């Protein structure tokens, strides 16, 4: 259980919808940022019961990157909200795109089983005109430890 109290009794962290950003440290290169949030929770809007998911965030930043502590507090803000899986995934994407304006972003939500059904939701954003760079295949150079010269 997370303790949000200091010895003086003042809260040190609270959930918030505010997302902080910082400047992309290498704006001249496309690079992929992958994040996993393994303890995401929200409430089922029909039953009020908790829903649990792993949220995956994959993005290629443009000018800004999302700051991790604010992301954690943002994700925490859904804990007491009733949300359909499809709606919460798209809401997270919309909020992150609004704050960071990435070249590309994908949110994948993998919800735990409920009623015998696993639900996975994937939502994507692409900046107008952005195209991914060709991927370089380096598998031909992988070493084979069984062959020695």
């Amino acid at each position: 259980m997370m303790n949000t109290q200091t010895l003086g009794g003042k809260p040190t962290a609270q959930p918030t919808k505010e997302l902080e950003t910082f400047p992309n440290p290498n704006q001249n290169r496309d690079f992929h940022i992958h994040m996993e949030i393994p303890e995401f929770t929200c409430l089922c809007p029909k039953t009020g019961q908790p829903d649990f998911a792993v949220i995956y965030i994959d993005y290629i930043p443009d000018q800004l990157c999302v700051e991790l502590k604010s992301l954690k507090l943002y994700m925490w803000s859904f804990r007491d909200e009733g949300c359909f899986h499809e709606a919460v995934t798209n809401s997270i994407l919309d909020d992150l795109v609004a704050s960071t304006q990435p070249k590309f972003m994908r949110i994948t939500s993998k919800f735990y089983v409920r009623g015998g059904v696993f639900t996975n939701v994937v939502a994507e954003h692409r900046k107008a005109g952005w195209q991914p760079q060709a991927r370089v295949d380096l598998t031909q150079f992988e070493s084979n430890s069984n062959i020695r010269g």
Side-chain angles (χ1 to χ4, degrees):
M1 176 154 199
M2 183 177 187
N3 183 357
T4 61
Q5 302 292 320
T6 63
L7 290 177
K10 296 179 183 174
T12 56
Q14 294 296 318
T16 180
K17 292 290 186 193
E18 290 184 38
L19 288 162
E20 296 179 25
T21 61
F22 61 91
N24 177 348
N26 201 337
Q27 296 177 15
N28 62 341
R29 173 182 301 134
D30 282 357
F31 60 96
H32 178 175
I33 299 172
H34 173 82
M35 300 174 188
E36 297 181 21
I37 296 98
E39 298 176 343
F40 180 84
T41 59
C42 61
L43 299 176
C44 173
K46 292 282 194 179
T47 66
Q49 295 295 310
D51 281 330
F52 301 93
V54 178
I55 306 291
Y56 300 90
I57 301 171
D58 291 283
Y59 76 106
I60 297 174
D62 192 0
Q63 304 294 311
L64 299 170
C65 297
V66 67
E67 191 275 325
L68 294 181
K69 182 178 179 184
S70 75
L71 179 65
K72 177 183 83 166
L73 297 175
Y74 170 81
M75 291 296 180
W76 184 11
S77 75
F78 289 96
R79 183 169 292 175
D80 295 324
E81 289 185 19
C83 307
F84 287 107
H85 301 161
E86 300 81 359
V88 73
T89 303
N90 279 281
S91 179
I92 291 167
L93 177 66
D94 291 344
D95 292 345
L96 284 167
V97 166
S99 65
T100 63
Q101 298 294 308
K103 294 177 183 178
F104 170 82
M105 184 172 283
R106 175 185 298 130
I107 307 296
T108 303
S109 300
K110 294 190 173 194
F111 283 86
Y112 291 83
V113 68
R114 179 176 276 280
V117 177
F118 285 102
T119 303
N120 296 330
V121 181
V122 180
E124 289 186 352
H125 160 82
R126 289 176 190 262
K127 186 175 182 174
W130 177 80
Q131 291 293 321
Q133 296 176 353
R135 196 162 183 176
V136 178
D137 180 12
L138 298 176
T139 58
Q140 65 181 330
F141 300 110
E142 289 179 359
S143 65
N144 185 341
S145 60
N146 297 327
I147 300 175
R148 299 283 181 211

